[in-house]
Amino acid sequence: MKPDWLWFHRDIFPSRVCRLFARFWLFFLISVLSSPAVAALPGFEFMLEHIRHPVFTARSAEIKFTAFPSPALVVTLDDLVMGGHRWRNLRMECNQIHVSRDGADCDAGVLRLGKKSLSVNVQFSLQRKSLIIGIQPVPVTGARGKWRLEIGWQEDKWHGVLKIMNGDGTLLADLLPLEEQQIQIHQARLNGEIHLSGSGVAISALSAHLNVSQLSFGDASGLHAGEHISLQMDADARQTGKDWQWRGKIAWPEGGIFWQPFYFSGQGHEFAIAGTLHDRHINVTHGRVDLAGIGKAKFSAIADVAGRTLQQIRFSATDLELSPLFDSILRPLAVDTALAETSAGGRADFDWHYRDGEHQSLVIDLQDVSLIDAHDRFSIEELNAHIPWNYNEKRNGSIQFDNARVLGIPLGATRIPIETKGAQFNIPRAEVAVLDGKMQIENFLAIHETTGWQWQFNGALLPISMEKLTEALRIQPMYGTLSGTIPKMRYANSTITMEGELVSGIFDGVAVARNLVLENPLSLTPHLIMDMAMHHVDLDLLTRAYSFGSMQGRVDVEVNNLELVDWEPVRFDTKLVSSAGNYKRRISQAAIKNLIALGGGGAVTAIQRSFLGLFGQFSYAEIGWRCKLRGHICQMGGIEPATSDGKSYVLVKGSGIPAITITGYNQEVDWPELLKRLERAVESSNPIIH
């Protein structure tokens, strides 16, 4: 299929149409009006039902000439198709026509295309071998500007020039039939000239120099619009043998364009291009893009016009300013992700090669790049990277940074070696410094599938100080170390899943996470589902971490069906019970106070309350607490029911001397309020016994 936008090069050129009609009209009028017998006639009508030509097709053409009281000509077309466009109800009126053997003039013509009316002046001269057509909007429309087409020829050669003086750009839009979803020009002002020359029906050279100002456009959907745009355009093309040599340049000094989801502002950007056209192949030999404030890029390309395919393109850019590039292009593509609220800095180089429907190679180099999240969820500084990729061959690169933070956790200087080939991205092994420990990454593999990127890895956590970790997270201090193995983690379809169990050491016990599913991790509302458990945890280390009061012993904790939305809990089933085995079981007055706050007023008996102040610590046999969270309501329980009616439950079962038993009465508690209650109790320096 031949592309419609090259119709003028195949067979059609406006001067051919003008000369065709001009010769027909002139031959007919001169032959008729120069005959004395016909001159006495009041006029004539001539009708053609269907006209076919390589240039155009027309239906229901009517030519009507009247000689009295003054010569006048009316030409109507019900339907005209040319260059892939269709017009209906065309009407040309010339009320002051002058015909001689030398030519014909129409001084006061009107051209009507649907509801659009244009003032037309035509001067045709056989002696001068010229055709001049002047077009202006009819004054009643309030439009301004002039359009003047001049065509001349000598034997088989011809030349033409279209001069535009303060032309109304909406005129061009109105002349073309409006199609659905088509961009509509609301305002534009044009000045300049377009020159064309050729031989026979073919063009051999053209040049254009146009200035566009006050351009505004938009479409019905509102997804594409521009305002106050100024453009300066220069182009020329010349045929040499069977080839065309051409070049063009566009400067964009001002105005703004919104093209969903991007917004660009004209600040002195320039676009230049040059190449050849041979055997229906466009070869862009030199292309240059100069984006003010961002940097420069160059490119070359080959396209098959007949097949409407891009066969090859090479694009390279060096020393691009990443901050405006990120704001204009990358951030709009990352809407609804964490990157949408990220600022970037540094510089970047790109080199890309595409051929025969496949990406062949891509090289990205980053220099001194910084990425900072507006909500302080992550940041990275002094990032330098060399990321090469080739469709057929293996390439080695590296990513390194001086420091970074993830959820407040600092990462030290790190270098990560990478391997790429085809649709795969590999990290055989890497170590990332995390506080005073390390995270080992092994067997990282990323593959691009038809559904998007997928990746997997496994690794380990080398001992990390819990005190430093909790300080970085800005939570209550914890003690000991965190370490463990990381099972295979997978990412696909915007979801992270974990195979097996994540085992780590915490509070001198063992923590196990399983059934982890994290959906949309880079969105503004990530969704986490998992189960976790802690076994044989040291209560002394745990309660000391939260200033809960001293408790000695060991506990097991299970958290099943845990569900977080935007990192806030909306569902879980939690159970905390004393671990099996022999160990010291003691509880302080401060811990009793906080358990009372957890269980509600009346959590101890009056007899127990009378001697609480006599002892600093008490013995217990068992501790237990349960919470079933749904939404923001926690349904609480303990070791066992305290009464037969089930309206209370045992939190701490006393044993030995002195012993104390704590009973809970709050069966349904607002979870955020419960956390505030515990926080107030912990912050209080002296225990208050109810």
Side-chain angles (χ1 to χ4, degrees), residues 102-232:
D102 177 56
D105 296 337
C106 176
D107 297 330
V110 177
L111 176 62
R112 290 187 172 88
L113 296 88
K115 297 181 180 180
K116 190 73 175 179
S117 296
L118 303 172
S119 174
V120 178
N121 296 316
V122 180
Q123 300 175 23
F124 178 75
S125 174
L126 284 174
Q127 183 178 358
R128 294 191 300 271
K129 296 183 178 180
S130 66
L131 171 65
I132 300 174
I133 302 176
I135 299 176
Q136 287 181 270
V138 174
V140 295
T141 63
R144 298 174 293 125
K146 296 181 180 180
W147 304 71
R148 181 181 175 90
L149 175 63
E150 300 177 1
I151 301 175
W153 60 89
Q154 293 291 334
E155 297 180 351
D156 197 36
K157 297 185 181 298
W158 56 266
H159 64 275
V161 57
L162 174 63
K163 298 180 179 180
I164 308 171
M165 294 153 282
N166 204 28
D168 183 3
T170 60
L171 172 63
L172 294 177
D174 292 339
L175 291 180
L176 294 176
L178 183 62
E179 300 176 0
E180 188 177 357
Q181 302 299 324
Q182 180 175 315
I183 296 294
Q184 300 180 43
I185 297 177
H186 304 311
Q187 180 182 353
R189 194 61 56 188
L190 284 75
N191 286 277
E193 295 183 355
I194 300 176
H195 294 260
L196 300 142
S197 60
S199 177
V201 297
I203 305 172
S204 60
L206 65 88
S207 64
H209 308 279
L210 294 175
N211 289 326
V212 181
S213 60
Q214 305 173 32
L215 172 61
S216 297
F217 64 84
D219 64 4
S221 67
L223 300 179
H224 311 94
E227 287 187 345
H228 311 300
I229 299 170
S230 294
L231 299 173
Q232 299 165 2

Side-chain angles (χ1 to χ4, degrees), residues 522-535:
L522 294 180
S523 73
L524 300 179
T525 55
H527 185 197
L528 172 68
I529 299 174
M530 66 178 295
D531 299 323
M532 63 179 297
M534 292 187 292
H535 303 291

Side-chain angles (χ1 to χ4, degrees), residues 595-660:
L595 287 171
I596 292 173
L598 180 67
V604 296
T605 67
I607 297 176
Q608 291 173 327
R609 189 180 300 114
S610 64
F611 63 83
L612 274 174
L614 301 178
F615 300 96
Q617 289 189 335
F618 298 84
S619 299
Y620 70 91
E622 190 176 355
I623 291 176
W625 175 73
R626 303 170 190 270
C627 174
K628 184 177 182 180
L629 183 71
R630 298 296 183 268
H632 60 89
I633 300 299
C634 171
Q635 300 175 8
M636 293 205 301
I639 302 169
E640 59 190 22
T643 57
S644 59
D645 59 9
K647 293 184 177 180
S648 60
Y649 48 87
V650 177
L651 289 171
V652 177
K653 183 182 293 187
S655 174
I657 300 176
I660 190 169

